[in-house]
Amino acid sequence: MKMFIDSHAHIDGPEFDGDREEAIGRAKDAGVSVILNVGTGDPHSGALERAVALGAKHDCLYTAIGTHPHDARLYDEQAEKRIRALVDDGVRIVAWGEIGLDFHYDNSPRDTQIAVFERQLRAARECDLPVIIHTREAERETIDILKAACAQGHPTGVLHCFSGSLSLALEAIDLGLMISFSGIVTFKKADDLRATAKQVPLDRLLIETDCPFLAPIPFRGKRNEPAYVIEVARCLAGIHGRELEDIGRITATNFAKLFKVDLRG
């Protein structure tokens, strides 16, 4: 049986309000048996609760919640208490994220992003959850913070939607992290990223859509959705000289290990 896992999606958002159930159905039809939906947004807006509620409705969904670096300026003690309560009471919440640093858009001040990233890493460690990490134009800062966290015994995590340098990937792997590739790896001008992907060991590899963003070739320009993660797997199969189903099986095994879930049912 084919098994593919979209390890990072945002299907609770308004982009899917018109066909959310159909998108989940199309994913199943394509062989995508599991989706990790990542709840983000203003932690005081109800966005995280929305993601948790959706995950509770579907056996094929797991959920991650956290405060994205864009919204770091909104993260406070109340937000942290809310996330912890959702983790304690929610169904199939398997990760804290996405969290990290985004120095491209700077939607929150950089010093605030750094402080909130460190704070959420501590909270995730206390909740015994792996972390989903977003990093853009902040490679050195991200690695330095992660090194400090790992020195304190932090559980593992993943650099999601990876588009960084080979050195970033290798340093993250040395820290025990996984690397997740999105539709970006299929883009025509992504030769450097494909070269990096070839250097990532298969046992550290994940695949994702990051939908509704970044639809892979041949769907580029359309709204992305979980079914399209097959194209990411197809690209990585070519890079690594493996069969498509091999990449599905390997990345599903990696997903189960990282997020401590049993996929045998």
Side-chain angles (χ1 to χ4, degrees), residues 21 32 46 105 134 152 171 178 195-196 212 225 231 233 241 249:
E21 298 301 319
V32 180
Y105 287 109
H134 171 112
Q152 297 170 20
E171 286 192 85
M178 292 198 180
T196 294
E225 61 178 75
E231 300 306 324
R249 174 182 51 78

Side-chain angles (χ1 to χ4, degrees), residues 178-196:
M178 292 198 180
I179 309 294
S180 181
F181 291 95
S182 70
I184 296 174
V185 78
T186 72
F187 293 176
K188 183 177 180 180
K189 295 183 179 181
D191 290 336
D192 288 348
L193 185 60
R194 284 187 284 274
T196 294

Side-chain angles (χ1 to χ4, degrees), residues 46-110:
L48 304 183
E49 288 84 352
R50 179 184 69 196
V52 171
L54 178 65
K57 287 175 56 180
H58 296 275
D59 290 342
C60 66
L61 296 184
Y62 290 91
T63 303
I65 51 174
T67 299
H68 191 284
H70 288 343
D71 300 307
R73 67 194 184 282
L74 304 174
Y75 190 84
D76 56 16
E77 185 176 352
Q78 182 182 357
E80 184 166 312
K81 287 180 178 179
R82 178 168 293 172
I83 295 172
R84 286 176 181 267
L86 289 169
V87 168
D88 288 342
D89 298 337
V91 177
R92 293 188 300 278
I93 299 175
V94 297
W96 192 300
E98 64 191 90
I99 64 176
L101 303 175
D102 193 310
F103 289 177
H104 177 78
Y105 287 109
D106 282 332
N107 286 354
S108 289
R110 293 185 179 185

Side-chain angles (χ1 to χ4, degrees), residues 10-190:
H10 301 282
I11 59 170
D12 61 297
E15 296 88 352
F16 287 96
D17 283 352
D19 67 340
R20 185 172 292 106
E21 298 301 319
E22 291 83 357
I24 292 171
R26 288 190 293 271
K28 291 179 179 178
D29 291 343
V32 180
S33 54
V34 172
I35 301 165
L36 177 54
N37 185 57
V38 181
T40 61
D42 179 352
H44 306 289
S45 69
L48 304 183
E49 288 84 352
R50 179 184 69 196
V52 171
L54 178 65
K57 287 175 56 180
H58 296 275
D59 290 342
C60 66
L61 296 184
Y62 290 91
T63 303
I65 51 174
T67 299
H68 191 284
H70 288 343
D71 300 307
R73 67 194 184 282
L74 304 174
Y75 190 84
D76 56 16
E77 185 176 352
Q78 182 182 357
E80 184 166 312
K81 287 180 178 179
R82 178 168 293 172
I83 295 172
R84 286 176 181 267
L86 289 169
V87 168
D88 288 342
D89 298 337
V91 177
R92 293 188 300 278
I93 299 175
V94 297
W96 192 300
E98 64 191 90
I99 64 176
L101 303 175
D102 193 310
F103 289 177
H104 177 78
Y105 287 109
D106 282 332
N107 286 354
S108 289
R110 293 185 179 185
D111 58 345
T112 300
Q113 291 188 49
I114 289 170
V116 169
F117 185 22
E118 293 172 338
R119 184 170 176 178
Q120 289 190 93
L121 285 169
R122 288 193 296 270
R125 181 176 69 246
E126 291 167 3
C127 292
D128 193 27
L129 288 176
V131 289
I132 298 173
I133 300 159
H134 171 112
T135 180
R136 188 170 184 187
E137 298 180 17
E139 293 193 1
R140 189 71 262 148
E141 293 86 351
T142 298
I143 283 295
D144 287 347
I145 290 169
L146 289 172
K147 283 181 176 178
C150 288
Q152 297 170 20
H154 191 274
T156 189
V158 56
L159 293 188
H160 104 93
C161 194
F162 190 85
S163 61
S165 66
L166 175 60
S167 62
L168 174 64
L170 295 179
E171 286 192 85
I173 289 166
D174 284 346
L175 292 176
L177 299 169
M178 292 198 180
I179 309 294
S180 181
F181 291 95
S182 70
I184 296 174
V185 78
T186 72
F187 293 176
K188 183 177 180 180
K189 295 183 179 181

Side-chain angles (χ1 to χ4, degrees), residues 219-232:
F219 302 105
R220 193 172 183 188
K222 299 181 180 180
R223 183 200 67 179
N224 203 1
E225 61 178 75
Y228 298 167
V229 79
I230 304 297
E231 300 306 324
V232 180

Side-chain angles (χ1 to χ4, degrees), residues 232-248:
V232 180
R234 194 184 313 280
C235 180
L236 291 170
I239 290 168
H240 284 277
R242 303 294 292 258
E243 296 296 323
L244 174 63
E245 289 76 13
D246 289 341
I247 296 298

